[in-house]
Amino acid sequence: MNFTRWSARLPGTQRRAAARTDDVVTEDRLSEGAVPAARAEQLTVPVPAVDELPVREVLDRVPALVALVHGPDHRLAYVNDAYVVAFGLRPTGEPARRALPELDEIGLLPLLDQVLRSGKPRTVKSRKAPDGRSYTFTCTPVTEGHGGGGSGVLVFATDVTDHAEAAERLRASERRQRETAVTLQRSLLPQELEEPDDLRIAATYLPGGTEAAVGGDWYDVITLGGGRTALVIGDVMGRGVRAAAVMGQLRTAVRAYARLDLPPHEILQLLDGLAMEIDANQIATCAYAIHDPNEGKLVYASAGHLPILVRDESGVVLRADEPTGPPLGTGGWMHASGSIPLGPGSTAVLYTDGLVERRDEDLDEGIAALERALAGATGTPQVICDRLVRSAGVTAEHDDDVAVMVLQHPAHTGPDGDLFRNAALELLGGVEAAPRARAFASGVLTSWRFPVELHDLGVLAVSELVANSLQHGTPPMRLRLRRTDRRLIVEVTDGDDHLPRRRRAEPGDESGRGIAIVATIASNWGSRRTPGGGKAVWCEFVLPKG
């Protein structure tokens, strides 16, 4: 085959020929004095034209791999020395499927068909060849002879093995970093959720897809004592190990602050200051809620987080929209608490934006879709949690982290109803208040069929807490007894907001021993300020199993 006829018709040849004509005109003008003589002398030095160079000799010396095929079955016309070194001698005149099996193995033959049909060059980046090296292939159409008697494809392969290996090392490094962040993230989340007496809770965390670094989504369940439960969910802005580390610090702080038994907005106020100390450039959203089964509602505060959704016992879904303050770490904002009903038979959902936010739709549309899914979701909290994730279209390739927490306040009926009981007594004050409280407690605990030992401890705790309230508190005063399937809770409220503390009473002291006695006999005790002023002091006893 005459290779010169093929080389003469490579794309761009005609443009270069026209350029050479312009150069001749320019040189003629230069000889007339258009530029200095020294410049003119440099331009008149004879330079061989590209078309005059021996093309085959040039291609044989090119370090890249070159092959030329022609015809519809891509019969091999030429391979250069670099190609022979890489893959060995190749028989000319044979179809590429037999002559160039390495191109067939990497799937390049369909590309040759496209180039031949379209007459346009195509490039395939970083394909690994059978010799173990990576190449970028450029396939360019060529025409045989000046009359266009035949067509072919010039295959030009550049060795990019070093670049491919560097890219793979970078991807491997990113995978290791992501695995580290995911491991850190999961280790900082609760390994097992605490199980309150009056709530059934399930939670799910799904990291973003393989192309996205893990974020800072988190959640927690904290039993506060006295039958109350704190629920928290948050999202640290950003991705990677840094976001996970900040998340861990905030979660640890929330657990510490929760022990203070403060209202939700005060917890967020403390977290806001801490977030600024951790990193002034790092912000996070958070929703903190407290459930008290006696009040039948969820008291919450939100720092830039998405609204809590509650489905009541009739299937109606409510959205806790207000109040919502700015994210944590912004500073200068006074958060406020709100409430939403959560009575027996209700289900609530706390979630992060990965569940409802999509690039192609408004955020409110995602929340509305979640409301519809919650309205039709039934079953255990874990079943509902899984169903909500599926309905939102969350997959392993999802581009954002997702955290979901579902809680149910079950309606106890039948035999379970006997295991969850309440009794309350208004304390009017006076010397008869303490004996009346003891008599009331004794009657209630007897009707609840508690063993004698637990009955006596409960009556003693009631006596000490009521006496403490009568001595140090102010009206209105109230005694409340509550039993669950796991514990007995005794709580006394009054109008004074001074919280008692346990202290060592000296032998001559006439007071100071009540709280110490309660702390000794009870499994747990505590106190908190109540909304609108006043305080509640409580203790609880674990019921014997069986």
Side-chain angles (χ1 to χ4, degrees):
M1 166 176 190
N2 186 349
F3 185 77
T4 305
R5 291 189 300 127
W6 287 87
S7 64
R9 307 315 304 164
L10 290 174
T13 302
Q14 296 165 339
R15 291 194 300 273
R16 291 194 293 272
R20 286 196 300 276
T21 303
D22 294 340
D23 292 341
V24 172
V25 174
T26 302
E27 291 176 7
D28 291 341
R29 293 177 179 174
L30 288 175
S31 63
E32 297 175 2
V35 296
R39 177 65 175 163
E41 290 176 1
Q42 294 175 2
L43 294 176
T44 56
V45 175
V47 177
V50 173
D51 286 349
E52 296 173 3
L53 297 175
V55 177
R56 176 158 187 160
E57 183 179 348
V58 172
L59 293 180
D60 280 342
R61 296 182 180 182
V62 170
L65 281 58
V66 179
L68 182 67
V69 298
H70 68 91
D73 53 356
H74 310 301
R75 293 184 177 274
L76 180 62
Y78 164 79
V79 291
N80 70 345
D81 292 343
Y83 201 107
V84 172
V85 171
F87 299 111
L89 289 171
R90 291 291 179 264
T92 58
E94 293 289 331
R97 193 172 299 277
R98 291 198 298 269
L100 304 172
E102 58 277 356
L103 299 188
D104 188 20
E105 186 172 334
I106 63 177
L108 204 63
L109 296 188
L111 187 65
L112 299 180
D113 294 333
Q114 293 180 19
V115 171
L116 198 61
R117 288 195 304 267
S118 66
K120 297 180 180 180
R122 295 286 189 273
T123 297
V124 175
K125 295 183 178 180
S126 192
R127 290 284 180 89
K128 196 166 187 177
D131 65 346
R133 302 190 68 78
S134 298
Y135 299 90
T136 290
F137 293 88
T138 299
C139 301
T140 304
V142 295
T143 304
E144 180 181 2
H146 294 281
S151 298
V153 179
L154 182 71
V155 180
F156 191 90
T158 306
D159 191 335
V160 293
T161 304
D162 292 342
H163 296 283
E165 291 178 349
E168 179 56 34
R169 287 193 296 270
L170 179 60
R171 286 191 293 269
S173 176
E174 291 176 345
R175 285 194 297 269
R176 288 192 298 270
Q177 290 182 6
R178 182 178 183 277
E179 290 170 359
T180 300
V182 171
T183 301
L184 175 61
Q185 173 85 335
R186 291 194 180 279
S187 67
L188 294 174
L189 290 174
Q191 304 305 301
E192 292 185 4
L193 293 178
E194 296 185 18
E195 299 180 358
D197 295 355
D198 294 276
L199 295 177
R200 302 294 178 263
I201 304 176
T204 296
Y205 169 73
L206 299 172
T210 55
E211 298 299 323
V214 67
D217 293 17
W218 56 291
Y219 56 83
D220 208 349
V221 178
I222 308 166
T223 53
L224 301 178
R228 302 165 73 250
T229 306
L231 307 131
V232 57
I233 193 164
D235 185 0
V236 178
M237 302 296 112
R239 296 184 179 276
V241 175
R242 177 59 181 168
V246 172
M247 177 274 290
Q249 295 178 76
L250 290 178
R251 177 175 174 258
T252 301
V254 166
R255 294 194 69 86
Y257 293 150
R259 300 306 173 193
L260 301 175
D261 213 343
L262 299 172
H265 65 276
E266 294 190 25
I267 296 291
L268 292 190
Q269 212 68 50
L270 293 172
L271 283 177
D272 184 45
L274 178 65
M276 295 183 65
E277 293 178 7
I278 294 174
D279 188 344
N281 298 319
Q282 189 81 60
I283 62 174
T285 65
C286 181
Y288 184 92
I290 296 176
H291 176 253
D292 188 335
N294 296 295
E295 297 178 359
K297 62 182 179 180
L298 203 62
V299 180
Y300 68 91
S302 175
H305 204 77
L306 298 173
I308 300 171
L309 302 181
V310 175
R311 187 189 67 199
D312 62 21
E313 63 277 10
S314 63
V316 177
V317 177
L318 307 175
R319 182 188 300 191
D321 283 331
E322 298 293 343
T324 298
L328 303 176
T330 55
W333 180 269
M334 294 300 295
H335 293 274
S337 294
S339 65
I340 186 170
L342 187 70
S346 298
T347 300
V349 178
L350 292 79
Y351 53 96
T352 58
D353 57 2
L355 185 66
V356 295
E357 189 173 32
R358 300 293 180 270
R359 296 178 181 177
D360 56 348
E361 66 180 30
D362 186 76
L363 180 60
D364 283 337
E365 295 178 6
I367 298 176
L370 180 62
E371 289 179 343
R372 292 190 294 272
L374 177 60
T378 58
T380 66
Q382 188 61 59
V383 170
I384 294 176
C385 196
D386 295 340
R387 181 171 177 177
L388 296 180
V389 170
R390 287 195 304 271
S391 68
V394 178
T395 63
E397 291 74 30
H398 197 65
D399 60 358
D400 195 5
D401 290 18
V402 174
V404 185
M405 183 161 58
V406 175
L407 56 115
Q408 289 180 336
H409 185 189
H412 300 290
T413 57
D416 283 348
D418 294 334
L419 300 179
F420 292 83
R421 306 285 292 274
N422 286 279
L425 174 68
E426 299 295 333
L427 300 174
L428 301 178
V431 293
E432 74 284 356
R436 189 154 52 89
R438 286 194 294 270
F440 172 79
S442 179
V444 169
L445 298 182
T446 300
S447 68
W448 289 350
R449 300 178 182 177
F450 281 165
V452 175
E453 181 180 356
L454 183 58
H455 171 280
D456 293 344
L457 291 176
V459 172
L460 177 58
V462 167
S463 178
E464 296 298 335
L465 292 183
V466 169
N468 183 78
S469 181
L470 291 172
Q471 183 173 358
H472 302 288
T474 58
M477 302 177 186
R478 190 168 188 258
L479 167 66
R480 183 167 63 187
L481 300 176
R482 175 172 173 77
R483 72 155 295 168
T484 70
D485 58 344
R486 303 176 193 173
R487 71 198 77 233
L488 165 67
I489 301 169
V490 179
E491 182 179 83
V492 176
T493 59
D494 64 58
D496 185 83
D497 60 1
H498 177 73
L499 299 180
R501 60 185 179 87
R502 183 180 181 181
R503 63 186 180 86
R504 181 186 297 274
E506 298 298 332
D509 292 343
E510 296 182 358
S511 63
R513 295 178 178 83
I515 296 298
I517 293 173
V518 170
T520 301
I521 64 175
S523 305
N524 193 15
W525 80 280
S527 61
R528 70 180 187 279
R529 291 188 173 89
T530 54
K535 66 176 179 294
V537 184
W538 56 268
C539 69
E540 57 187 28
F541 299 86
V542 176
L543 302 184
K545 295 182 179 180

